[in-house]
Amino acid sequence: VAPPRHDWFQIYMWLFQRYKPDVAETNDLKPDRADLNAQQQELLTGLRRWVFKRQMEHLKQRRKGEHEPAATAAAKPAEPEIVQAKLF
């Protein structure tokens, strides 16, 4: 696993400061810049679009009755019963 690129780190820190300012201040977590540059704003816009698209897909599946947890629960095989070993 590689560390995030500098741009993504700046976006993460900008979001963190925006939505958790009390925690960011107590931990002295401050990005290099207070504002995002144009490239970082484009990356953030792309991330927002991706999240929105995933939310819409999830809502469509839920509306159809294809809720993911129920489908995965039915597909899982039953777990074997755990039996404690006897000493004698």
Side-chain angles (χ1 to χ4, degrees):
V1 175
R5 289 188 2 220
H6 179 73
D7 288 335
W8 283 110
F9 175 75
Q10 291 297 325
I11 292 168
Y12 177 81
M13 294 306 294
W14 183 82
L15 289 169
F16 187 70
Q17 274 191 329
R18 184 170 178 183
Y19 293 102
K20 294 284 191 174
D22 52 332
V23 179
E25 287 177 11
T26 59
N27 292 330
D28 292 326
L29 298 173
K30 296 178 183 176
D32 296 340
R33 294 180 297 277
D35 294 326
L36 300 176
N37 63 28
Q39 180 183 5
Q40 292 167 345
Q41 288 176 354
E42 269 189 51
L43 289 171
L44 181 58
T45 301
L47 177 63
R48 287 177 176 157
R49 286 181 182 153
W50 180 83
V51 169
F52 181 76
K53 183 179 177 181
R54 296 292 176 217
Q55 286 176 335
M56 294 309 293
E57 288 174 0
H58 178 74
L59 290 174
K60 286 178 184 177
Q61 286 179 353
R62 249 181 121 179
R63 189 178 305 158
K64 291 180 181 177
E66 299 173 1
H67 189 60
E68 195 171 310
T72 56
K76 286 184 180 179
E79 293 185 22
E81 184 178 327
I82 298 174
V83 180
Q84 180 150 355
K86 296 179 182 179
L87 294 175
F88 298 99

